[in-house]
Amino acid sequence: MTGPTAPDRLLSVLAAFDHEHPALCLTDISRRAGLSLTTAHRLVGALTEWGALERDESGVYHVGLRLWELAALAPRGLALRQIALPYLEDLYEATHENVQLAVRDGSDVVYIEWLSGRSAVGVHIRVGARWPLHATGVGLALLAHGDPRFQKEYCAGELASFTPYTITEPARLRRELAEVRRTGVAVSDRQITEDALSVAAPVRAADGTVAAAVSIVVPHADAQVPVLAPAVRVAARGISRALGWQPERALT
């Protein structure tokens, strides 16, 4: 069996950083990447020279701006966010609740934009955060419109639980996905926290495939899904049109 390749080792250094560990000393990088201190020192030096990492005056390393420059080129990242932002802002102004935009990455949903008011319900979300698809409104919207084979594999896998209300039964998840396709919106009720409910709708690319999902998160006690659903649909439809989707053509 061969060991890790040079690219594997470089990527392991970058993967040592996450939202819980945004700043690391060389020893921590070595430990989290599973590399010897000598190897970590060499790779960190190369990444720092290129700009992927930055070292502050105390000797602690952070992710560098060079990676942000590259990330800005991702069509499902900053570019999508810029197109969607006016519609997200309209949805926020109409509700003054948490508004989110997310895309699917494997079995997770990744949030690429989040607008929140000071009086909105607290959520465990930030730009770049990941959650399993089945536990969020945006995730359910993305999963429901994904490849049928992927849906089958996902439903057959382990479904993580976060509250007593999290969907953990495959049969129930399949029913939820069918309901999302029928109604055009996904509702996630107290799945991540017991005080929040989200309503989400899919965002379509020019070719009609679902590229993202937009949602609004409100306190569970005050949730009025029949009122929220049309507003979320309008925002998702506006973003879809801005991406080049033509619903009239999809019907012909």
Side-chain angles (χ1 to χ4, degrees):
M1 180 180 295
T2 60
T5 64
D8 290 335
R9 289 191 288 268
L10 275 171
L11 292 175
S12 70
V13 170
L14 295 176
F17 295 85
D18 57 28
H19 285 284
E20 283 70 43
H21 304 87
L24 296 169
C25 68
L26 183 60
T27 301
D28 289 335
I29 294 173
S30 171
R31 176 179 53 80
R32 288 177 55 79
L35 301 171
S36 69
L37 195 59
T38 301
T39 300
H41 181 269
R42 175 171 54 82
L43 295 177
V44 166
L47 289 168
T48 302
E49 183 177 357
W50 186 75
L53 297 178
E54 296 177 356
R55 185 173 183 267
D56 64 23
E57 295 179 354
S58 66
V60 172
Y61 292 89
H62 308 259
V63 172
L65 286 177
R66 189 73 178 270
L67 289 183
W68 173 255
E69 293 175 19
L70 288 177
L73 301 176
R76 295 197 303 154
L78 187 58
L80 174 58
R81 172 192 172 277
Q82 290 175 332
I83 292 172
L85 193 54
Y87 303 93
L88 301 178
E89 290 174 338
D90 286 345
L91 182 57
Y92 171 76
E93 287 300 327
T95 63
H96 290 284
E97 301 288 357
N98 293 297
V99 172
Q100 303 163 343
L101 180 71
V103 297
R104 181 173 78 85
D105 185 30
S107 297
D108 296 329
V109 60
V110 177
Y111 292 84
I112 61 174
E113 184 54 277
W114 168 48
L115 305 180
S116 178
R118 283 180 292 181
S119 60
V121 64
V123 294
H124 297 296
I125 297 299
R126 57 182 174 272
V127 173
R130 288 175 175 266
W131 287 95
L133 290 166
H134 68 280
T136 66
V138 284
L140 289 170
L142 290 164
L143 183 58
H145 295 281
D147 178 75
R149 180 179 298 179
F150 173 75
Q151 290 181 30
K152 183 178 180 180
E153 292 175 352
Y154 189 96
C155 291
E158 182 177 355
L159 302 176
S161 178
F162 303 97
T163 74
Y165 305 97
T166 306
I167 299 173
T168 56
E169 301 83 24
R172 181 187 168 197
L173 178 56
R174 287 191 289 269
R175 291 194 299 270
E176 289 287 340
L177 298 180
E179 184 68 6
V180 173
R181 290 188 291 270
R182 185 185 71 82
T183 63
V185 294
V187 178
S188 179
D189 186 6
R190 295 170 289 174
Q191 289 211 82
I192 298 294
T193 63
E194 295 189 39
D195 61 346
L197 176 146
S198 68
V199 181
V203 172
R204 297 187 181 274
D207 62 0
T209 59
V210 171
V214 60
S215 72
I216 182 171
V217 182
V218 301
H220 163 77
D222 302 329
Q224 300 182 50
V225 175
V227 176
L228 298 172
V232 175
R233 284 198 196 97
V234 168
R237 195 177 184 88
I239 299 169
S240 300
R241 286 182 176 275
L243 291 173
W245 180 59
Q246 299 181 29
E248 298 83 2
R249 180 178 298 176
L251 295 174
T252 59

